[in-house]
Amino acid sequence: MLAEIITIGDEILIGQIVDTNSAFIAKELNKIGITIHQITSVPDDRDHILKALRDAEARVGFVILTGGLGPTKDDITKLTLCEYLEDELVMNEEVLEHIEELFRKHISSTPISDLNRDQARLPATAIPLHNPYGTAPGMWMQRHGTVIVSLPGVPYEMKHLLKESVIPKMVSEYERPYIIHKTIITYGLGESAIAERISEFESALPDFMKLAYLPNLGKVRLRLSAKGTRLEPLQEAIAEATKTLHTLIGELIYGEEDDENIEIGVGRLLTKKGVSLATAESFTGGRIAEMITAIPGASVYFKGSVVSYATETKINVLGVPEALIDAHTVVSKEVVEAMATQVRKLMRSDFAIATTGNAGPTKGDSDADIGTVFIAIAGPDGVQAEKFNMGNHRTRIVTKSAHKAFEMLQKEILKF
């Protein structure tokens, strides 16, 4: 079963806002066995909207529109839908009562206007979908066997309507296949190297299963997807494929939950072991600490961080000997080991991460080439440091280094 998403609004096409609605809709529909065939963004323009509707209707059974349902003149979605459906706008008394109630209870400082009341005017053949959080209802319509659903562009309004009205109606009225996914998170090897190691496995996958590579800086997600009419055989096949991947590349796998990052897995491991962590960051500028503290409950294991960006901070705050820096420069194995050791002592933590390197665009206090990075992990058994070259793009260098630091930390914790 196929669907298309059409997002409407000039603000999307000029980059004023990011279209997060499409991603949410696609993910939720996929959960109930509906495959997204295409996503289209169009301006608040009659001709563009009409063409997008005609094209989508020729391809799929469901069309989901978001945006253009506001009370102002630039919001033309309802009028255009009426033209497309050869319908007319009529006042819906239940929707009107809801709008008036919203103004009485929550918008009392602003008098209701005819523009607001006109939001209760819907295509005569549309089934209204109650929107408790706004004045624009959702609408469920049909033409030539294709379902057309129009939703507000405001994300929290759209999400509520999709989950509470649209999806339950789809589930109850239409038979759909099962689509299941399993996403495996890997760190430490690029997608081409992974593909080479599992090429025979990939070639042997059954027709109903696909493997996708989703690379990001420092990690690769492997998504197994299976589609069919019976759920249990799909689940068994995914489980068997996952087991095989663990056999082939188990040392690279750091999680199996969709969208779980390595820092979450490391945090879980720190909590389980009952040990603590501190960080001393130079070129990463607090990025590692930020990733840690974004996790709810990180205060259980995270002691704190010193962002020793300047050389004098390494000396005066962390206590790295100036003579050590003079002898080896700030971007060196000796200095990063001292940083990790000192911050572990300062914060009284069980483990510590330290980073020093040159992320560019200039060389700063060191002659090290741009992309040269040293990362150290200090723990109960001493301190370990490694040198890396992370490329020549500043953001890429920082992001890859942060991921590599967590990868190194995880290996050290597992020895504990």
Side-chain angles (χ1 to χ4, degrees):
M1 185 169 290
L2 299 178
E4 289 202 17
I5 302 168
I6 301 173
T7 58
I8 301 170
D10 295 344
E11 64 275 13
I12 296 171
L13 297 175
I14 66 173
Q16 190 173 26
I17 67 167
V18 176
D19 173 26
T20 58
N21 284 351
S22 293
F24 181 84
I25 294 169
K27 192 170 185 178
E28 293 302 313
L29 292 189
N30 193 260
K31 289 177 182 177
I32 62 167
I34 295 177
T35 300
I36 300 302
H37 181 70
Q38 184 168 307
I39 298 174
T40 305
S41 293
V42 298
D44 295 295
D45 175 80
R46 167 189 169 276
D47 291 339
H48 277 82
I49 297 171
L50 288 173
K51 184 178 187 306
L53 283 166
R54 284 193 297 268
D55 292 347
E57 185 185 339
R59 291 187 291 253
V60 301
F62 286 102
V63 181
I64 312 285
L65 299 92
T66 67
L69 295 181
T72 54
K73 288 183 179 180
D74 61 326
D75 292 307
I76 61 170
T77 298
K78 281 195 302 186
L79 288 172
T80 307
L81 281 168
C82 275
E83 181 178 349
Y84 186 71
L85 299 168
E86 298 179 345
D87 206 345
E88 62 180 353
L89 292 176
V90 297
M91 184 64 72
N92 185 292
E93 293 300 328
E94 288 187 10
V95 176
L96 178 61
E97 183 179 342
H98 166 67
I99 293 170
E100 291 176 338
E101 182 72 7
L102 278 180
F103 270 82
R104 280 195 299 271
K105 284 187 173 180
H106 305 295
I107 322 175
S108 55
S109 59
T110 303
I112 189 171
S113 69
D114 287 340
L115 286 175
N116 302 124
R117 292 188 178 93
D118 280 346
Q119 291 206 277
R121 291 166 58 83
L122 311 180
T125 57
I127 299 172
L129 306 174
H130 178 60
N131 178 7
Y133 303 120
T135 57
M139 297 176 287
W140 179 289
M141 299 151 282
Q142 283 192 320
R143 175 184 136 111
H144 301 157
T146 297
V147 173
I148 300 171
V149 177
S150 180
L151 300 173
V154 180
Y156 70 89
E157 295 181 24
M158 178 279 297
K159 290 178 181 178
H160 177 85
L161 281 164
L162 186 76
K163 297 187 78 168
E164 300 300 323
S165 298
V166 177
I167 286 178
K169 191 170 176 62
M170 287 178 168
V171 168
S172 66
E173 296 184 9
Y174 297 91
E175 291 186 5
R176 296 145 289 103
Y178 291 100
I179 302 174
I180 63 173
H181 304 285
K182 183 77 164 183
T183 301
I184 294 170
I185 317 299
T186 72
Y187 288 85
L189 210 60
E191 62 175 320
S192 59
I194 293 175
E196 187 174 344
R197 285 182 58 174
I198 64 173
S199 61
E200 291 185 12
F201 160 83
E202 188 173 2
S203 298
L205 288 174
D207 292 340
F208 61 83
M209 190 181 300
K210 292 181 179 180
L211 175 65
Y213 296 80
L214 309 172
N216 203 336
L217 297 178
K219 69 177 179 179
V220 178
R221 289 190 292 164
L222 303 176
R223 189 189 66 232
L224 288 163
S225 301
K227 183 177 180 179
T229 56
R230 295 175 58 216
L231 180 60
E232 286 188 10
L234 297 180
Q235 291 174 327
E236 291 172 1
I238 287 283
E240 186 62 31
T242 302
K243 183 179 177 181
T244 303
L245 280 176
H246 272 271
T247 301
L248 295 172
I249 55 169
E251 79 280 8
L252 305 176
I253 294 174
Y254 285 83
E256 293 184 12
E257 296 179 39
D258 197 18
D259 296 328
E260 179 173 289
N261 294 316
I262 191 170
E263 63 267 24
I264 297 175
V266 168
R268 188 183 297 117
L269 189 57
L270 287 164
T271 302
K272 180 181 178 181
K273 296 275 189 178
V275 291
S276 58
L277 174 67
T279 63
E281 301 185 56
S282 184
F283 74 97
T284 48
R287 177 67 182 276
I288 295 171
E290 179 188 21
M291 293 166 71
I292 295 168
T293 55
I295 303 167
S299 59
V300 171
Y301 52 83
F302 187 54
K303 290 291 190 75
S305 178
V306 174
V307 181
S308 52
Y309 206 70
T311 300
E312 57 264 33
T313 307
K314 294 178 180 67
I315 297 168
N316 298 330
V317 177
L318 284 178
V320 176
E322 187 172 359
L324 189 70
I325 294 174
D326 291 340
H328 301 284
T329 80
V330 288
V331 181
S332 63
K333 180 175 183 288
E334 290 78 8
V335 167
V336 80
E337 287 178 342
M339 290 170 63
T341 301
Q342 290 298 105
V343 79
R344 179 173 179 257
K345 184 189 302 182
L346 179 67
M347 300 288 181
R348 298 180 180 178
S349 62
D350 297 295
F351 289 91
I353 296 171
T355 64
T356 185
N358 188 349
T362 60
K363 289 190 174 183
D365 291 343
S366 171
D367 290 331
D369 291 336
I370 293 171
T372 302
V373 166
F374 288 90
I375 302 172
I377 308 296
D381 294 329
V383 59
Q384 307 292 328
E386 291 188 46
K387 179 182 178 180
F388 304 94
N389 190 303
M390 297 296 189
N392 58 9
H393 186 278
R394 185 176 179 84
T395 301
R396 180 182 177 88
I397 292 166
V398 172
T399 303
K400 286 185 69 176
S401 299
H403 288 155
K404 179 58 70 173
F406 283 112
E407 180 188 333
M408 291 172 60
L409 174 63
Q410 178 154 310
K411 288 178 180 177
E412 292 302 314
I413 298 171
L414 288 172
K415 297 177 185 176
F416 180 67

